[in-house]
Amino acid sequence: MTARRRGFSLRVGGRVLELGERTAIMGIVNVTPDSFSDGGAFLDPAAAIDHGLRLAGEGADILDVGGESTRPGAEPVSEQEEVRRVVPVVRELAARSGLPVSIDTTKAAVAEAALAAGATIVNDVSALRLDPRLGGVVARAGAALVIMHMQGTPRTMQQAPRYDDLVGEVIAELAAGIGRAAAAGVDPEQVLVDPGIGFGKSLEHNLELLGRLSELEVLGRAILVGPSRKAFIGRLLDLPAAERVEGTIAACCCAADRGAHVVRVHDVGPVRRALRVADAILRGAA
Ligand code: HH2
């Protein structure tokens, strides 16, 4: 165990995913035409499946499949289209990757179809605020649930994000999300929390949230964070999304030091290698 990380056991299908000993990696599989960093690259199901299998080979612990971009100003996708994009990819990756598959969606119908196809984790960037049926779907499946903080909606969130007490407000809203999950019958042990890097946050907000990540431990849940290739790194380095891997690694190592159990990233291989070293140092310091 690292000095700063409590252990958690997530039930994912018939298996248990142990979190805490080393930093787990959620590899991103975007089956979209318009994601901010890799839109269109894996819209074809065969390309998305190959990509997911490659991330598994590079050391991912979870594969997160998404069919709708959440980038600022992205066009909404219909339920039917999102199901059509993600279900074949979830089915193949659940059967062939050997890893738990997560479905990145805010919609109950999409989650239901993905869970039936073999997903065991639901990653909801709306923290159960957008679809009142989603919590019940997660509860009935016995799935794990990621609850993420977002100020506003993807359409408006980056217009003028402001907080009186950033970390306090993020914690309070995540606590409300945990409450919504419990009210829907989701086992609290199955819930992870995420401060939502880039979702209604300025550069300074993102840096403060990553720097003070360990304060989320008061929620008593495993912590997931997604800094991968995001605009705050681009702002600091003045580089496009494809050239933000070193910045992503720096953010992931800082997050691991501040209690992150899982990092959600595009560049699994480089982040895995970096975290192996970071985790060894943190374990030695424990
Ligand atoms: N970030 C994105 C999407 N889903 N889920 C969680 N839990 N945390 C995050 O930080 C997070 C997320 C945005 O990244 P990406 O999927 O690459 O982009 P897009 O939404 O444009 O597809």
Side-chain angles (χ1 to χ4, degrees):
M1 271 299 294
T2 66
R4 298 165 200 248
R5 223 157 40 193
R6 180 184 145 192
F8 290 90
S9 303
L10 276 195
R11 280 180 283 105
V12 285
R15 284 175 295 168
V16 175
L17 185 61
E18 298 292 352
L19 299 177
E21 179 64 25
R22 63 190 183 87
T23 313
I25 296 182
M26 174 183 263
I28 302 171
V29 182
N30 281 326
V31 197
T32 61
D34 57 349
S35 285
F36 79 92
S37 81
D38 55 4
F42 313 111
L43 185 56
D44 171 48
I49 293 159
D50 279 354
H51 184 61
L53 293 173
R54 190 166 79 238
L55 298 185
E58 290 180 5
D61 300 282
I62 301 167
L63 296 174
D64 188 40
V65 178
E68 178 174 47
S69 172
T70 56
R71 82 183 151 75
E75 284 305 312
V77 175
S78 75
E79 214 165 84
Q80 295 84 338
E81 173 62 12
E82 203 178 324
V83 167
R84 197 187 65 75
R85 288 180 189 174
V86 297
V87 163
V89 179
V90 167
R91 182 174 294 117
E92 285 296 304
L93 290 179
R96 292 169 55 196
S97 72
L99 297 178
V101 174
S102 153
I103 176 69
D104 184 352
T105 189
T106 60
K107 301 185 185 80
V110 176
E112 208 159 26
L115 291 165
T120 53
I121 303 171
V122 174
N123 173 22
D124 176 17
V125 298
S126 87
L128 302 183
R129 283 184 301 134
L130 285 184
D131 188 333
R133 288 183 50 240
L134 183 54
V137 167
V138 175
R140 277 191 295 283
L145 174 66
V146 180
I147 282 187
M148 196 198 77
H149 176 270
M150 166 166 40
Q151 187 179 80
T153 64
R155 195 169 278 280
T156 60
M157 64 190 181
Q158 289 307 106
Q159 280 166 11
R162 75 168 288 284
Y163 300 82
D164 293 320
D165 166 15
L166 172 68
V167 175
E169 288 171 43
V170 167
I171 288 173
E173 297 209 9
L174 288 172
I178 292 172
R180 282 189 290 279
V186 178
D187 178 352
E189 295 296 312
Q190 291 287 88
V191 176
L192 298 90
V193 293
D194 179 341
I197 298 300
F199 286 83
K201 278 100 184 176
S202 67
L203 168 63
E204 292 72 22
H205 293 146
N206 289 313
L207 298 178
E208 184 176 348
L209 278 171
L210 284 163
R212 295 175 60 188
L213 193 68
S214 60
E215 295 182 39
L216 268 57
E217 285 166 4
V218 300
L219 293 163
R221 309 307 328 142
I223 298 170
L224 183 148
V225 67
S228 191
R229 299 183 184 174
K230 282 188 178 164
F232 81 99
I233 298 172
R235 285 271 311 280
L236 291 169
L237 299 179
D238 193 21
L239 287 172
E243 294 173 47
R244 296 177 188 164
V245 63
E246 298 89 349
T248 299
I249 287 171
C252 289
C253 292
C254 286
D257 182 46
R258 287 155 176 76
H261 293 81
V262 187
V263 293
R264 179 183 181 276
V265 299
H266 304 85
D267 304 288
V268 169
V271 172
R272 176 83 282 157
R273 292 190 286 277
L275 284 173
R276 212 167 266 153
V277 176
D279 282 342
I281 294 166
L282 295 170
R283 214 176 289 123

